[in-house]
Amino acid sequence: MTLRIDISGLPSERLRFAASPLAELTAMLHVLAEPGHHPQFADWAGEVWAGLRPELAERLREAEFLWRSSQADFLIPARPRPTLAEELDAVDLIDDETYVTAALVTTCGSSRVRFPGVSPLTDPTARERALDVAQARGALQEAFAERLLADPAAVRARVRHTLEECAEAFFDGAWAGVAVQLAADLRLKNELLRRQGVEAALASVSGAITLAADGDCIIVDKVQDKATTAREAGVTFIPSVFGRPHLVAVHAPGWHPVVQYPVAAPGPAEPVSLETVTLRLEALAHPVRLRLLRTLARGPHTTSELAHFWDLSRPEVSRHLAVLRRAGLLTARRQGRYVRHTLSLPDLTALGTDLLAAVLR
């Protein structure tokens, strides 16, 4: 399960390492939406939520699917700018159809369920699919999607205003410290790229990123097999402090390939009993269950969503989910007519940070 980025004939200078204020803000927003993915920032997230004005907190919750399960492509810039304001100005230049389609992307893992060749603004089938997906995410998200489809300009302005308020509320203070770490990482990566070449630079990014033997392809360990090309646009690598342990990749048609990678070192694993390890590893031994687990690591999903994504029958998915629940790796919660399955991150963490990192990528 990999993302392959074709770089055949690409000059090394078209492989860029740069910091992005907008991408780091997006990583922070993901931490606020999914603090269980980032226990090292749990105290920070709690303090931020406690200090937010109620109206800003509500706006973050309504728009959270822009950064919760995955990140909307326009939030991970291919051409990073020095300031958040400049990057938001660049987002404003994106046309409504591109923006809305990217905003309404949903994920099962890292595979984007898009509307090939059509826009949910103009195509009834794509619109219905977008609203169905939003409805399964919750009432706030459904209302957000409906407003976005009805009045893209108003919602875009509201999202920008929300991000600007986040800068004042918590981002500017956090960015001042984070920028120092990112600058140190970028000096290392760019020096490796200049002195030792692409392979050495990629090796320093993550063990999940490699260069193919022929040098024509970057291979990224992701949840589903995908391919894209960077032969014209190049590839941008963006370091992140708040993004650990996630490895985020922008690869959809029409977007320049971008990889946001974590710079912080992982902490030590917690000890667990042999009996617990055995039970859970047996549950994970089946490849389908491992795929379902990696999918659920991106957020809660229903049995139907999982079956549709992996082209499986609902009874087959239900059987695998039952095994994972018995091992204590999943919980199920009914919300209206939907039963959503959620990964138990604390129990998965007990299997070790290596496995956790592999699942959360």
Side-chain angles (χ1 to χ4, degrees):
M1 295 184 285
T2 60
L3 167 64
R4 301 178 69 86
I5 305 173
D6 182 0
I7 60 168
S8 56
L10 186 74
S12 61
E13 60 267 20
R14 301 292 292 279
L15 190 141
R16 296 176 292 271
F17 287 89
S20 164
L22 179 56
E24 193 66 12
L25 172 56
T26 302
M28 293 180 191
L29 291 170
H30 173 74
V31 170
L32 294 176
E34 287 283 11
H37 285 192
H38 309 269
Q40 72 274 29
F41 295 120
D43 291 343
W44 175 87
E47 291 174 2
V48 170
W49 278 119
L52 288 180
R53 293 184 301 101
E55 194 223 344
L56 178 56
E58 182 70 7
R59 280 191 275 128
L60 289 181
R61 292 188 180 97
E62 77 176 12
E64 68 175 11
F65 63 58
L66 293 177
W67 49 73
R68 182 168 193 156
S69 296
S70 68
Q71 289 72 38
D73 291 335
F74 54 76
L75 295 176
I76 313 292
R79 294 279 191 269
R81 271 77 168 181
T83 67
L84 179 63
E86 289 174 278
E87 293 188 323
L88 292 176
D89 288 344
V91 172
D92 288 343
L93 298 177
I94 299 172
D95 65 84
D96 281 347
E97 289 195 1
T98 301
Y99 184 100
V100 170
T101 302
L104 294 182
V105 164
T106 186
T107 61
C108 280
S110 64
S111 174
R112 279 147 162 76
V113 181
R114 291 186 176 268
F115 318 97
V118 296
S119 164
L121 284 177
T122 57
D123 184 83
T125 301
R127 179 187 179 91
E128 182 179 0
R129 169 61 181 159
L131 291 175
D132 283 347
V133 169
Q135 184 183 51
R137 292 289 169 263
L140 282 175
Q141 290 71 34
E142 181 182 13
F144 177 89
E146 289 176 342
R147 289 196 300 273
L148 181 60
L149 289 167
D151 191 350
V155 174
R156 292 180 65 164
R158 182 177 173 88
V159 169
R160 171 163 184 157
H161 182 58
T162 298
L163 297 178
E164 290 171 335
E165 288 199 5
C166 287
E168 181 178 350
F170 61 87
F171 174 74
D172 287 346
W175 176 252
V178 164
V180 176
Q181 299 180 59
L182 300 182
D185 181 81
L186 289 171
R187 283 194 296 271
L188 171 64
K189 300 298 190 293
N190 283 306
E191 185 68 9
L192 282 171
L193 181 62
R194 184 176 69 87
R195 290 182 175 272
Q196 300 182 36
V198 173
E199 186 171 11
L202 294 179
S204 71
V205 171
S206 169
I209 301 178
T210 57
L211 186 66
D214 59 9
D216 285 345
C217 184
I218 296 173
I219 302 171
V220 185
D221 174 30
K222 295 300 291 180
V223 72
Q224 195 184 35
D225 290 326
K226 292 288 183 179
T228 188
T229 181
R231 283 179 292 179
E232 296 180 3
V235 188
T236 302
F237 288 86
I238 299 175
S240 174
V241 171
F242 278 80
R244 181 170 66 85
H246 300 306
L247 193 63
V248 178
V250 174
H251 58 80
W255 297 91
H256 293 181
V258 184
V259 176
Q260 185 186 37
Y261 64 91
V263 300
E270 299 179 6
V272 296
S273 69
L274 179 60
E275 182 181 2
T276 300
V277 170
T278 302
L279 177 65
R280 290 175 177 168
L281 288 181
E282 287 175 350
L284 295 174
H286 197 289
V288 171
R289 289 197 287 271
L290 186 57
R291 290 180 181 182
L292 294 176
L293 194 69
R294 293 186 74 180
T295 299
L296 290 166
R298 274 65 187 178
H301 290 84
T302 66
T303 301
S304 294
E305 288 177 309
L306 295 168
H308 175 75
F309 179 75
W310 289 112
D311 197 21
L312 300 168
S313 69
R314 289 188 60 185
E316 183 178 2
V317 172
S318 294
R319 287 194 296 272
H320 287 300
L321 292 177
V323 174
L324 292 169
R325 284 197 303 272
R326 284 195 295 271
L329 296 174
L330 296 182
T331 58
R333 181 182 179 186
R334 178 173 291 278
Q335 294 180 323
R337 62 190 180 95
Y338 298 99
V339 176
R340 302 174 70 191
H341 305 279
T342 303
L343 174 65
S344 176
L345 281 167
D347 293 310
L348 183 61
T349 301
L351 290 175
T353 54
D354 286 345
L355 178 59
L356 179 64
V359 168
L360 292 182
R361 274 200 295 272

